Coordinates of all heavy atoms in Angstrom, one line a residue:
M1 N -8.4 -49.3 -65.8 CA -9.4 -49.6 -64.8 C -10.2 -50.9 -65.2 O -10.5 -51.0 -66.4 CB -10.4 -48.4 -64.8 CG -11.3 -48.5 -63.6 SD -12.4 -47.0 -63.6 CE -11.3 -45.7 -63.3
K2 N -10.3 -51.8 -64.3 CA -11.0 -53.0 -64.6 C -12.5 -52.9 -64.5 O -13.0 -52.0 -63.9 CB -10.5 -54.1 -63.6 CG -9.0 -54.4 -63.8 CD -8.6 -55.4 -62.7 CE -7.1 -55.6 -62.8 NZ -6.6 -56.4 -61.7
K3 N -13.2 -53.8 -65.2 CA -14.6 -53.8 -65.2 C -15.1 -54.0 -63.8 O -14.6 -54.9 -63.0 CB -15.2 -54.9 -66.1 CG -16.7 -54.8 -66.3 CD -17.1 -55.8 -67.3 CE -18.6 -55.6 -67.6 NZ -19.0 -56.5 -68.7
G4 N -16.0 -53.2 -63.3 CA -16.5 -53.3 -61.9 C -15.7 -52.5 -60.9 O -16.1 -52.4 -59.8
D5 N -14.7 -51.9 -61.4 CA -13.9 -51.0 -60.5 C -14.6 -49.7 -60.3 O -15.1 -49.0 -61.3 CB -12.5 -50.7 -61.2 CG -11.5 -50.0 -60.3 OD1 -11.9 -49.7 -59.1 OD2 -10.4 -49.7 -60.7
L6 N -14.8 -49.3 -59.1 CA -15.7 -48.1 -58.8 C -14.8 -46.9 -58.5 O -15.4 -45.9 -58.0 CB -16.6 -48.4 -57.6 CG -17.6 -49.6 -57.8 CD1 -18.4 -49.8 -56.6 CD2 -18.5 -49.2 -59.0
S7 N -13.5 -46.9 -58.7 CA -12.7 -45.7 -58.4 C -13.1 -44.6 -59.4 O -13.4 -44.8 -60.6 CB -11.2 -46.1 -58.5 OG -10.9 -46.6 -59.7
P8 N -13.1 -43.4 -58.9 CA -13.5 -42.3 -59.7 C -12.5 -41.9 -60.8 O -11.3 -42.1 -60.6 CB -13.7 -41.1 -58.7 CG -12.8 -41.5 -57.6 CD -12.7 -43.0 -57.5
V9 N -13.0 -41.4 -61.9 CA -12.1 -40.9 -63.0 C -11.9 -39.4 -62.6 O -12.8 -38.6 -62.6 CB -12.8 -41.0 -64.3 CG1 -11.9 -40.4 -65.4 CG2 -13.1 -42.5 -64.6
L10 N -10.6 -39.1 -62.4 CA -10.3 -37.7 -62.1 C -9.7 -37.0 -63.3 O -9.0 -37.5 -64.1 CB -9.2 -37.7 -61.0 CG -9.6 -38.4 -59.7 CD1 -8.4 -38.4 -58.7 CD2 -10.8 -37.7 -59.0
V11 N -10.2 -35.8 -63.5 CA -9.8 -35.0 -64.6 C -9.0 -33.7 -64.1 O -9.5 -33.0 -63.2 CB -11.0 -34.6 -65.4 CG1 -10.6 -33.7 -66.6 CG2 -11.7 -35.8 -66.0
N12 N -7.9 -33.5 -64.7 CA -7.1 -32.3 -64.4 C -7.7 -31.0 -64.8 O -8.0 -30.9 -66.0 CB -5.7 -32.5 -65.0 CG -4.7 -31.4 -64.6 OD1 -5.1 -30.4 -64.0 ND2 -3.5 -31.6 -65.0
I13 N -7.9 -30.1 -63.9 CA -8.5 -28.8 -64.3 C -7.5 -27.7 -64.1 O -7.9 -26.5 -64.1 CB -9.8 -28.5 -63.4 CG1 -9.5 -28.5 -61.9 CG2 -10.9 -29.5 -63.8 CD1 -10.5 -27.9 -61.1
G14 N -6.2 -28.1 -64.0 CA -5.2 -27.1 -64.0 C -4.4 -27.0 -62.7 O -5.0 -27.1 -61.6
F15 N -3.1 -26.8 -62.8 CA -2.2 -26.6 -61.6 C -2.3 -27.7 -60.6 O -2.2 -27.5 -59.4 CB -2.6 -25.2 -61.0 CG -2.5 -24.1 -61.9 CD1 -3.7 -23.5 -62.3 CD2 -1.3 -23.7 -62.5 CE1 -3.7 -22.4 -63.2 CE2 -1.3 -22.6 -63.4 CZ -2.5 -22.0 -63.7
G16 N -2.5 -28.9 -61.1 CA -2.5 -30.1 -60.2 C -3.8 -30.3 -59.5 O -3.9 -31.2 -58.7
N17 N -4.8 -29.5 -59.8 CA -6.1 -29.7 -59.3 C -7.0 -30.6 -60.2 O -6.9 -30.6 -61.4 CB -6.9 -28.4 -59.2 CG -6.1 -27.4 -58.3 OD1 -5.9 -27.7 -57.1 ND2 -5.7 -26.3 -58.9
V18 N -7.7 -31.5 -59.5 CA -8.5 -32.5 -60.3 C -10.0 -32.5 -59.8 O -10.2 -32.1 -58.6 CB -7.9 -33.9 -60.2 CG1 -6.6 -34.0 -60.9 CG2 -7.8 -34.4 -58.8
V19 N -10.9 -33.0 -60.6 CA -12.3 -33.1 -60.2 C -12.8 -34.5 -60.7 O -12.3 -35.0 -61.7 CB -13.1 -31.9 -60.8 CG1 -13.1 -32.0 -62.4 CG2 -14.5 -31.9 -60.3
A20 N -13.6 -35.1 -59.9 CA -14.2 -36.3 -60.2 C -15.2 -36.1 -61.4 O -16.2 -35.4 -61.2 CB -14.9 -37.0 -59.0
S21 N -15.0 -36.8 -62.5 CA -15.8 -36.5 -63.7 C -17.3 -36.9 -63.5 O -18.2 -36.3 -64.0 CB -15.2 -37.3 -64.9 OG -15.3 -38.7 -64.7
A22 N -17.6 -37.9 -62.6 CA -18.9 -38.3 -62.4 C -19.7 -37.2 -61.6 O -21.0 -37.3 -61.7 CB -18.9 -39.6 -61.6
K23 N -19.1 -36.3 -61.0 CA -19.8 -35.3 -60.2 C -20.0 -34.0 -61.0 O -20.7 -33.1 -60.5 CB -18.9 -34.9 -59.0 CG -18.7 -36.1 -58.0 CD -20.0 -36.5 -57.4 CE -19.7 -37.6 -56.4 NZ -21.0 -38.1 -55.8
V24 N -19.5 -33.9 -62.2 CA -19.6 -32.7 -63.0 C -20.9 -32.6 -63.8 O -21.3 -33.6 -64.4 CB -18.4 -32.5 -64.0 CG1 -18.7 -31.3 -64.9 CG2 -17.1 -32.3 -63.2
V25 N -21.7 -31.5 -63.6 CA -22.9 -31.3 -64.3 C -22.7 -30.5 -65.6 O -23.3 -30.8 -66.6 CB -24.0 -30.7 -63.4 CG1 -25.2 -30.3 -64.2 CG2 -24.3 -31.5 -62.2
A26 N -21.9 -29.5 -65.5 CA -21.7 -28.6 -66.6 C -20.3 -27.9 -66.5 O -19.8 -27.7 -65.4 CB -22.7 -27.5 -66.7
I27 N -19.8 -27.5 -67.7 CA -18.5 -26.8 -67.8 C -18.9 -25.6 -68.7 O -19.3 -25.7 -69.9 CB -17.4 -27.5 -68.5 CG1 -17.1 -28.8 -67.7 CG2 -16.1 -26.7 -68.5 CD1 -16.2 -29.8 -68.4
V28 N -18.9 -24.4 -68.2 CA -19.3 -23.2 -68.9 C -18.3 -22.1 -68.9 O -17.3 -22.1 -68.1 CB -20.6 -22.6 -68.3 CG1 -21.8 -23.6 -68.4 CG2 -20.4 -22.3 -66.8
T29 N -18.4 -21.1 -69.8 CA -17.5 -20.0 -69.9 C -18.0 -18.9 -68.9 O -19.3 -18.8 -68.7 CB -17.4 -19.4 -71.3 OG1 -18.7 -19.1 -71.8 CG2 -16.7 -20.4 -72.2
P30 N -17.2 -18.1 -68.3 CA -17.6 -17.2 -67.3 C -18.1 -15.8 -67.7 O -18.4 -15.0 -66.9 CB -16.3 -17.1 -66.5 CG -15.2 -17.2 -67.5 CD -15.7 -18.2 -68.5
G31 N -18.2 -15.5 -69.0 CA -18.4 -14.2 -69.5 C -19.8 -13.6 -69.3 O -20.0 -12.4 -69.1
S32 N -20.8 -14.5 -69.3 CA -22.2 -13.9 -69.3 C -22.6 -13.5 -67.9 O -22.1 -13.9 -66.9 CB -23.1 -15.0 -69.8 OG -23.2 -16.1 -68.9
A33 N -23.6 -12.7 -67.9 CA -24.2 -12.1 -66.6 C -24.7 -13.3 -65.7 O -24.5 -13.2 -64.5 CB -25.2 -11.1 -66.9
P34 N -25.4 -14.2 -66.3 CA -25.9 -15.3 -65.4 C -24.8 -16.1 -64.7 O -24.9 -16.5 -63.6 CB -26.7 -16.2 -66.3 CG -27.2 -15.3 -67.4 CD -26.1 -14.3 -67.6
M35 N -23.7 -16.3 -65.4 CA -22.6 -17.0 -64.9 C -21.9 -16.2 -63.8 O -21.5 -16.7 -62.8 CB -21.5 -17.4 -66.0 CG -22.0 -18.4 -66.9 SD -22.6 -19.9 -66.1 CE -24.4 -19.8 -66.4
K36 N -21.8 -14.9 -64.0 CA -21.3 -14.0 -62.9 C -22.1 -14.1 -61.7 O -21.7 -14.1 -60.6 CB -21.1 -12.6 -63.5 CG -20.0 -12.5 -64.5 CD -19.9 -11.1 -65.0 CE -18.8 -11.0 -66.1 NZ -18.8 -9.7 -66.8
R37 N -23.5 -14.1 -61.9 CA -24.4 -14.2 -60.8 C -24.3 -15.5 -60.1 O -24.3 -15.5 -58.8 CB -25.8 -13.9 -61.3 CG -26.8 -13.5 -60.3 CD -28.1 -13.0 -60.9 NE -28.6 -13.6 -62.2 CZ -28.6 -13.1 -63.4 NH1 -28.2 -11.8 -63.5 NH2 -29.0 -13.7 -64.4
L38 N -24.2 -16.6 -60.8 CA -24.0 -17.9 -60.3 C -22.7 -17.9 -59.4 O -22.8 -18.5 -58.3 CB -23.9 -18.9 -61.4 CG -23.7 -20.4 -61.0 CD1 -24.9 -21.0 -60.4 CD2 -23.2 -21.2 -62.2
R39 N -21.7 -17.4 -59.9 CA -20.4 -17.3 -59.1 C -20.6 -16.5 -57.8 O -20.1 -17.0 -56.8 CB -19.4 -16.6 -60.0 CG -18.0 -16.4 -59.5 CD -17.2 -15.8 -60.5 NE -15.8 -15.5 -60.0 CZ -14.8 -15.1 -60.8 NH1 -15.0 -15.0 -62.1 NH2 -13.6 -15.0 -60.3
E40 N -21.2 -15.4 -57.9 CA -21.4 -14.5 -56.7 C -22.3 -15.2 -55.7 O -22.0 -15.2 -54.5 CB -22.0 -13.2 -57.1 CG -21.0 -12.3 -57.7 CD -19.7 -12.0 -56.9 OE1 -19.8 -11.8 -55.7 OE2 -18.6 -12.1 -57.5
E41 N -23.4 -15.9 -56.1 CA -24.3 -16.6 -55.2 C -23.5 -17.7 -54.5 O -23.7 -18.0 -53.3 CB -25.5 -17.1 -55.9 CG -26.4 -16.0 -56.3 CD -27.5 -16.5 -57.3 OE1 -27.6 -17.7 -57.5 OE2 -28.3 -15.6 -57.7
A42 N -22.7 -18.4 -55.2 CA -21.9 -19.6 -54.7 C -20.9 -19.0 -53.6 O -20.7 -19.7 -52.6 CB -21.2 -20.3 -55.8
K43 N -20.3 -17.9 -53.9 CA -19.4 -17.3 -53.0 C -20.0 -16.9 -51.7 O -19.5 -17.2 -50.6 CB -18.7 -16.1 -53.6 CG -17.6 -15.5 -52.8 CD -16.9 -14.4 -53.5 CE -15.7 -13.9 -52.7 NZ -15.0 -12.8 -53.4
K44 N -21.2 -16.3 -51.8 CA -22.0 -15.9 -50.6 C -22.4 -17.2 -49.8 O -22.4 -17.1 -48.5 CB -23.2 -15.1 -51.0 CG -22.9 -13.7 -51.4 CD -24.2 -13.0 -51.9 CE -23.8 -11.7 -52.5 NZ -25.1 -11.0 -53.0
A45 N -22.7 -18.3 -50.5 CA -23.2 -19.5 -49.8 C -22.0 -20.4 -49.3 O -22.3 -21.4 -48.7 CB -24.1 -20.2 -50.7
G46 N -20.8 -20.0 -49.7 CA -19.7 -20.9 -49.3 C -19.5 -22.1 -50.1 O -18.9 -23.1 -49.7
R47 N -20.0 -22.1 -51.4 CA -19.9 -23.2 -52.3 C -18.9 -23.0 -53.4 O -18.9 -23.8 -54.4 CB -21.3 -23.6 -52.8 CG -22.3 -24.0 -51.8 CD -23.6 -24.4 -52.5 NE -24.3 -23.1 -52.8 CZ -24.6 -22.6 -54.0 NH1 -24.1 -23.3 -55.0 NH2 -25.2 -21.5 -54.2
L48 N -18.1 -21.9 -53.4 CA -17.2 -21.6 -54.4 C -15.8 -22.1 -54.2 O -15.3 -22.0 -53.1 CB -17.1 -20.0 -54.6 CG -16.3 -19.5 -55.7 CD1 -16.9 -19.8 -57.0 CD2 -16.0 -18.0 -55.6
I49 N -15.3 -22.8 -55.1 CA -13.9 -23.4 -55.0 C -13.1 -22.7 -56.1 O -13.4 -22.9 -57.3 CB -14.0 -24.9 -55.2 CG1 -14.8 -25.6 -54.2 CG2 -12.5 -25.5 -55.2 CD1 -15.1 -27.0 -54.4
D50 N -12.1 -22.0 -55.7 CA -11.2 -21.3 -56.7 C -9.9 -22.1 -56.9 O -9.1 -22.2 -56.1 CB -10.9 -19.9 -56.1 CG -10.1 -19.0 -57.1 OD1 -9.8 -19.5 -58.2 OD2 -10.0 -17.8 -56.8
A51 N -9.9 -22.6 -58.1 CA -8.7 -23.4 -58.5 C -7.9 -22.7 -59.6 O -7.2 -23.3 -60.4 CB -9.1 -24.8 -59.0
T52 N -7.9 -21.4 -59.6 CA -7.2 -20.6 -60.7 C -5.8 -20.3 -60.3 O -5.1 -19.8 -61.2 CB -8.0 -19.3 -60.9 OG1 -8.0 -18.5 -59.7 CG2 -9.4 -19.5 -61.4
E53 N -5.4 -20.5 -59.1 CA -4.1 -20.1 -58.6 C -3.8 -18.6 -58.9 O -2.7 -18.2 -59.2 CB -3.0 -21.0 -59.3 CG -3.1 -22.4 -59.0 CD -2.6 -22.8 -57.6 OE1 -1.7 -22.1 -57.1 OE2 -3.2 -23.7 -57.0
G54 N -4.8 -17.8 -58.7 CA -4.6 -16.3 -58.9 C -4.7 -15.9 -60.4 O -4.5 -14.7 -60.6
R55 N -4.9 -16.7 -61.3 CA -5.0 -16.3 -62.7 C -6.4 -16.0 -63.1 O -7.4 -16.3 -62.3 CB -4.4 -17.4 -63.6 CG -2.9 -17.5 -63.4 CD -2.3 -18.7 -64.1 NE -0.9 -18.8 -64.0 CZ -0.2 -19.2 -62.9 NH1 -0.8 -19.6 -61.8 NH2 1.1 -19.3 -62.9
R56 N -6.6 -15.6 -64.3 CA -7.9 -15.2 -64.8 C -8.8 -16.5 -64.9 O -8.4 -17.5 -65.4 CB -7.8 -14.5 -66.2 CG -9.0 -14.0 -66.7 CD -8.8 -13.2 -68.0 NE -9.8 -13.7 -69.0 CZ -9.6 -13.8 -70.2 NH1 -8.4 -13.5 -70.7 NH2 -10.5 -14.2 -71.0
T57 N -10.1 -16.4 -64.5 CA -11.0 -17.5 -64.7 C -11.4 -17.6 -66.1 O -11.9 -16.7 -66.7 CB -12.3 -17.2 -63.8 OG1 -11.9 -17.1 -62.4 CG2 -13.3 -18.3 -63.9
R58 N -11.2 -18.8 -66.7 CA -11.5 -19.1 -68.1 C -12.7 -20.1 -68.2 O -13.2 -20.3 -69.3 CB -10.3 -19.6 -68.8 CG -9.2 -18.5 -68.9 CD -8.1 -19.0 -69.7 NE -7.0 -18.0 -69.7 CZ -6.8 -17.2 -70.7 NH1 -7.6 -17.2 -71.7 NH2 -5.8 -16.3 -70.6
S59 N -13.0 -20.8 -67.1 CA -14.1 -21.8 -67.1 C -14.7 -21.9 -65.7 O -14.0 -21.7 -64.7 CB -13.7 -23.1 -67.7 OG -12.7 -23.7 -66.9
I60 N -16.0 -22.3 -65.7 CA -16.7 -22.5 -64.5 C -17.2 -23.9 -64.5 O -17.9 -24.3 -65.5 CB -17.8 -21.5 -64.2 CG1 -17.2 -20.1 -64.1 CG2 -18.6 -21.9 -63.0 CD1 -18.3 -19.0 -64.0
I61 N -16.9 -24.7 -63.5 CA -17.4 -26.1 -63.5 C -18.5 -26.2 -62.4 O -18.3 -25.8 -61.3 CB -16.3 -27.1 -63.2 CG1 -15.2 -26.9 -64.2 CG2 -16.8 -28.5 -63.0 CD1 -13.8 -27.6 -63.9
V62 N -19.6 -26.7 -62.8 CA -20.8 -26.9 -61.9 C -20.9 -28.4 -61.5 O -20.9 -29.2 -62.4 CB -22.1 -26.4 -62.5 CG1 -23.3 -26.5 -61.5 CG2 -22.0 -25.0 -63.0
T63 N -20.9 -28.7 -60.2 CA -21.0 -30.1 -59.8 C -22.4 -30.4 -59.3 O -23.3 -29.5 -59.1 CB -20.1 -30.3 -58.6 OG1 -20.5 -29.6 -57.5 CG2 -18.6 -29.9 -58.9
D64 N -22.7 -31.7 -59.2 CA -24.0 -32.2 -58.7 C -24.3 -31.8 -57.3 O -25.5 -31.8 -56.9 CB -24.1 -33.7 -58.9 CG -23.1 -34.5 -58.2 OD1 -22.3 -33.9 -57.5 OD2 -23.2 -35.8 -58.2
S65 N -23.3 -31.4 -56.5 CA -23.6 -31.0 -55.2 C -23.8 -29.5 -55.1 O -23.8 -28.9 -54.0 CB -22.4 -31.4 -54.3 OG -21.2 -30.8 -54.7
N66 N -23.9 -28.9 -56.3 CA -24.1 -27.4 -56.4 C -22.9 -26.6 -56.1 O -23.0 -25.4 -55.8 CB -25.4 -27.0 -55.7 CG -26.1 -25.8 -56.4 OD1 -25.9 -25.6 -57.6 ND2 -26.9 -25.1 -55.6
H67 N -21.7 -27.2 -56.0 CA -20.5 -26.4 -55.8 C -20.1 -25.8 -57.2 O -20.3 -26.4 -58.2 CB -19.4 -27.3 -55.3 CG -19.5 -27.6 -53.8 ND1 -20.4 -28.5 -53.3 CD2 -18.9 -27.0 -52.7 CE1 -20.3 -28.5 -52.0 NE2 -19.5 -27.6 -51.6
I68 N -19.4 -24.7 -57.1 CA -19.0 -24.0 -58.3 C -17.4 -24.0 -58.2 O -16.9 -23.5 -57.3 CB -19.5 -22.6 -58.4 CG1 -21.1 -22.6 -58.3 CG2 -19.0 -21.9 -59.7 CD1 -21.7 -23.4 -59.4
I69 N -16.8 -24.5 -59.3 CA -15.3 -24.5 -59.3 C -14.8 -23.6 -60.4 O -15.3 -23.8 -61.6 CB -14.8 -26.0 -59.6 CG1 -15.4 -27.0 -58.5 CG2 -13.3 -26.1 -59.6 CD1 -15.2 -28.4 -58.8
L70 N -13.9 -22.8 -60.1 CA -13.3 -21.8 -61.0 C -12.0 -22.4 -61.5 O -11.2 -22.9 -60.7 CB -13.1 -20.5 -60.4 CG -14.3 -19.8 -59.7 CD1 -13.8 -18.4 -59.2 CD2 -15.4 -19.6 -60.7
S71 N -11.7 -22.4 -62.8 CA -10.5 -22.9 -63.4 C -9.9 -21.9 -64.4 O -10.6 -21.1 -65.0 CB -10.8 -24.2 -64.1 OG -9.6 -24.6 -64.7
A72 N -8.6 -21.8 -64.4 CA -7.9 -20.9 -65.4 C -7.7 -21.6 -66.7 O -7.1 -21.0 -67.6 CB -6.5 -20.5 -64.8
I73 N -8.2 -22.8 -66.9 CA -8.1 -23.6 -68.2 C -9.3 -23.3 -69.0 O -10.4 -23.3 -68.4 CB -7.9 -25.1 -67.9 CG1 -6.7 -25.3 -66.9 CG2 -7.7 -25.9 -69.2 CD1 -5.4 -24.9 -67.5
Q74 N -9.2 -23.2 -70.3 CA -10.3 -23.0 -71.2 C -11.4 -24.1 -71.0 O -11.0 -25.3 -70.9 CB -9.9 -23.0 -72.6 CG -9.1 -21.7 -73.0 CD -9.9 -20.5 -73.1 OE1 -11.1 -20.5 -73.2 NE2 -9.2 -19.4 -73.2
A75 N -12.6 -23.8 -71.2 CA -13.7 -24.8 -71.1 C -13.5 -25.9 -72.1 O -13.7 -27.1 -71.9 CB -15.1 -24.1 -71.2
E76 N -13.1 -25.5 -73.3 CA -12.9 -26.5 -74.4 C -11.8 -27.5 -74.0 O -11.9 -28.7 -74.4 CB -12.5 -25.8 -75.7 CG -13.6 -24.9 -76.3 CD -13.7 -23.5 -75.6 OE1 -12.7 -23.1 -75.0 OE2 -14.7 -22.8 -75.8
T77 N -10.8 -27.0 -73.4 CA -9.6 -27.9 -73.0 C -10.1 -28.9 -72.0 O -9.8 -30.1 -72.0 CB -8.5 -27.1 -72.5 OG1 -8.1 -26.1 -73.5 CG2 -7.3 -27.9 -72.1
I78 N -10.8 -28.4 -71.0 CA -11.3 -29.3 -69.9 C -12.3 -30.3 -70.5 O -12.3 -31.5 -70.2 CB -12.0 -28.5 -68.8 CG1 -10.9 -27.6 -68.1 CG2 -12.6 -29.4 -67.8 CD1 -11.5 -26.7 -67.1
T79 N -13.2 -29.9 -71.4 CA -14.1 -30.8 -72.1 C -13.4 -31.9 -72.8 O -13.7 -33.1 -72.7 CB -15.0 -30.0 -73.1 OG1 -15.7 -29.0 -72.3 CG2 -16.0 -30.9 -73.7
Q80 N -12.3 -31.5 -73.5 CA -11.5 -32.5 -74.2 C -10.9 -33.5 -73.3 O -10.9 -34.7 -73.5 CB -10.4 -31.8 -75.1 CG -9.7 -32.7 -76.0 CD -10.6 -33.3 -77.0 OE1 -11.5 -32.7 -77.6 NE2 -10.4 -34.6 -77.3
R81 N -10.4 -33.1 -72.1 CA -9.9 -34.0 -71.1 C -10.9 -34.9 -70.6 O -10.7 -36.1 -70.3 CB -9.3 -33.2 -70.0 CG -8.0 -32.4 -70.4 CD -7.5 -31.6 -69.3 NE -6.3 -30.8 -69.8 CZ -5.6 -29.9 -69.1 NH1 -6.0 -29.7 -67.8 NH2 -4.6 -29.3 -69.6
F82 N -12.2 -34.5 -70.4 CA -13.3 -35.3 -70.0 C -13.5 -36.4 -71.0 O -13.7 -37.6 -70.7 CB -14.5 -34.5 -69.7 CG -14.7 -34.0 -68.4 CD1 -14.1 -32.8 -68.0 CD2 -15.4 -34.7 -67.4 CE1 -14.2 -32.3 -66.7 CE2 -15.5 -34.2 -66.1 CZ -14.9 -33.0 -65.8
L83 N -13.6 -36.0 -72.3 CA -13.8 -36.9 -73.4 C -12.7 -38.0 -73.5 O -13.0 -39.2 -73.8 CB -14.0 -36.2 -74.7 CG -15.2 -35.3 -74.8 CD1 -15.2 -34.5 -76.1 CD2 -16.5 -36.1 -74.7
E84 N -11.5 -37.6 -73.3 CA -10.3 -38.5 -73.3 C -10.5 -39.5 -72.2 O -10.2 -40.7 -72.4 CB -9.0 -37.7 -73.2 CG -8.6 -37.0 -74.5 CD -7.4 -36.1 -74.2 OE1 -6.9 -36.1 -73.1 OE2 -7.1 -35.3 -75.2
G85 N -10.9 -39.1 -71.0 CA -11.1 -40.0 -69.9 C -12.2 -41.0 -70.2 O -12.1 -42.2 -69.8
K86 N -13.2 -40.6 -70.9 CA -14.3 -41.5 -71.2 C -13.9 -42.6 -72.3 O -14.2 -43.7 -72.2 CB -15.6 -40.8 -71.7 CG -16.3 -40.1 -70.7 CD -17.6 -39.5 -71.2 CE -18.4 -38.9 -70.0 NZ -19.7 -38.4 -70.4
E87 N -13.0 -42.1 -73.2 CA -12.5 -43.0 -74.2 C -11.6 -44.0 -73.6 O -11.6 -45.2 -74.0 CB -11.7 -42.2 -75.3 CG -12.6 -41.4 -76.2 CD -11.8 -40.5 -77.1 OE1 -10.6 -40.5 -77.1 OE2 -12.5 -39.7 -77.9
D88 N -10.8 -43.6 -72.6 CA -9.9 -44.5 -71.9 C -10.7 -45.6 -71.2 O -10.4 -46.8 -71.2 CB -9.0 -43.8 -70.9 CG -8.0 -42.9 -71.6 OD1 -7.7 -43.1 -72.8 OD2 -7.4 -42.0 -70.9
L89 N -11.8 -45.2 -70.6 CA -12.7 -46.2 -69.9 C -13.3 -47.1 -70.9 O -13.4 -48.3 -70.6 CB -13.8 -45.4 -69.1 CG -13.5 -44.9 -67.8 CD1 -14.7 -44.2 -67.2 CD2 -13.0 -46.0 -66.8
A90 N -13.8 -46.6 -72.0 CA -14.4 -47.5 -73.0 C -13.4 -48.5 -73.6 O -13.7 -49.7 -73.8 CB -15.0 -46.7 -74.1
G91 N -12.2 -48.1 -73.8 CA -11.1 -49.0 -74.3 C -10.7 -50.1 -73.3 O -10.4 -51.2 -73.6
E92 N -10.7 -49.8 -72.0 CA -10.4 -50.7 -71.0 C -11.5 -51.7 -70.7 O -11.2 -52.8 -70.2 CB -10.0 -50.0 -69.7 CG -8.7 -49.2 -69.8 CD -8.3 -48.4 -68.6 OE1 -9.1 -48.5 -67.6 OE2 -7.3 -47.7 -68.6
E93 N -12.7 -51.4 -71.0 CA -13.8 -52.3 -70.7 C -13.9 -53.4 -71.8 O -14.5 -54.4 -71.5 CB -15.2 -51.5 -70.7 CG -15.3 -50.7 -69.4 CD -16.6 -49.9 -69.4 OE1 -17.4 -50.0 -70.3 OE2 -16.8 -49.2 -68.4
E94 N -13.3 -53.1 -72.9 CA -13.4 -54.1 -74.0 C -12.5 -55.3 -73.8 O -11.6 -55.3 -73.1 CB -13.1 -53.4 -75.4 CG -14.2 -52.4 -75.7 CD -13.8 -51.7 -77.0 OE1 -12.6 -51.8 -77.5 OE2 -14.6 -50.9 -77.4

């Protein structure tokens, strides 16, 4: 990516699904009661995006538009992919 290029950095969240890294606020694990409540509230409000392809939810991604994305990939793995994307951007700007 060239300096001044405004195209979004897309990060793979599993099964060919991607998310724009600039829109992500948090990546959390789904086990706690508050995360389960967040998931249910998003489902009722029509803001839930299920990208698990029928598999077990291993991470929840919260976006700046208050959408909740479910992924079957571990939160640590997705976080690593985000960090790799930032490193790639830093290397290309130099």
Side-chain angles (χ1 to χ4, degrees):
M1 190 178 297
K2 296 176 184 173
K3 190 172 184 175
D5 190 1
L6 299 177
S7 55
V9 176
L10 301 176
V11 177
N12 185 347
I13 59 167
F15 307 108
N17 300 300
V18 295
V19 65
S21 63
K23 300 292 183 181
V24 173
V25 175
I27 304 169
V28 295
T29 55
S32 67
M35 291 305 110
K36 290 178 183 176
R37 201 167 31 251
L38 180 72
R39 179 181 180 168
E40 288 303 314
E41 289 172 4
K43 187 174 184 177
K44 288 178 186 174
R47 296 180 283 108
L48 184 70
I49 301 168
D50 187 352
T52 62
E53 297 284 328
R55 290 170 177 79
R56 187 174 132 215
T57 301
R58 295 182 184 263
S59 62
I60 298 174
I61 302 167
V62 182
T63 65
D64 61 356
S65 62
N66 213 18
H67 283 80
I68 305 300
I69 305 169
L70 307 179
S71 175
I73 306 296
Q74 292 283 351
E76 294 82 14
T77 304
I78 296 173
T79 302
Q80 190 62 39
R81 291 177 184 179
F82 271 86
L83 294 175
E84 288 170 3
K86 285 187 177 187
E87 288 172 2
D88 290 345
L89 277 180
E92 289 178 1
E93 287 179 0
E94 293 174 355

